[in-house]
Amino acid sequence: VYPITYACSLLGHHPTEILSTADFAHTGVDINNSIILKYENGSYAAISSGFNVHQQNPAVIVGTKGKITIDHNFLCAESAQLRDLNNEIIQQVHYPFEKNGYEYEGMEATRCLQAGLKESPWIPLEHTQAVMEIMDTCRKQWGFAYTFEK
């Protein structure tokens, strides 16, 4: 869910095409997957995640004049680099998190509850639903259904 949400926050919540594949353990659990989200403007996101490989979870956002690299874990990254086409660092930002990076989710949920909000203006329900629809499409492509869906 996190890599899809991240891609959608950058490119949009309604890709025109979704291509995905997954590998499953003998238990039936999906252990790795690769997903491509294609967009009408020609942009795309290439996403992979899994349980059986050690990944550092970087993110790379590539544009026509350079790229932004987020090292290690994009979910709770402390630094990012703006790089030119030669991969030289033009600018680097450093923003240390307080605990592990996930505290911001809890703080936002607390803020919304205290304000009497039923959803966050930062992540509205329609965005969550769009991400779930992408995940449902991927699961259908994998031939994966939950027992309550059968």
Side-chain angles (χ1 to χ4, degrees), residues 25-38:
H26 70 281
T27 60
V29 172
D30 53 317
I31 55 173
N32 330 275
N33 66 74
S34 293
I35 302 167
I36 297 174
L37 305 178
K38 292 185 175 184

Side-chain angles (χ1 to χ4, degrees), residues 118-120 123-131:
K118 293 184 179 186
E119 67 181 277
S120 168
I123 310 280
L125 179 58
E126 66 187 67
H127 289 179
T128 302
Q129 288 173 322
V131 168

Side-chain angles (χ1 to χ4, degrees), residues 131-142:
V131 168
M132 293 304 297
E133 288 172 9
I134 292 169
M135 292 173 65
D136 286 345
T137 298
C138 292
R139 286 188 312 102
K140 286 177 187 168
Q141 291 177 0
W142 306 342

Side-chain angles (χ1 to χ4, degrees), residues 59-130:
V60 179
I61 303 162
V62 180
T64 57
K65 296 182 180 180
K67 63 185 174 183
I68 298 170
T69 57
I70 302 168
D71 297 329
H72 309 299
N73 191 345
F74 74 91
L75 293 172
C76 49
E78 292 189 89
S79 65
Q81 303 81 35
L82 175 62
R83 298 173 181 268
D84 63 18
L85 293 174
N86 295 318
N87 208 32
E88 298 294 325
I89 296 175
I90 297 170
Q91 184 178 357
Q92 182 161 329
V93 295
H94 186 73
Y95 189 80
F97 46 77
E98 296 175 20
K99 303 277 187 228
N100 64 9
Y102 291 103
E103 66 270 15
Y104 302 108
E105 291 180 30
M107 290 176 359
E108 177 62 3
T110 300
R111 186 191 72 76
C112 289
L113 289 170
Q114 290 174 341
L117 298 173
K118 293 184 179 186
E119 67 181 277
S120 168
W122 290 96
I123 310 280
L125 179 58
E126 66 187 67
H127 289 179
T128 302
Q129 288 173 322

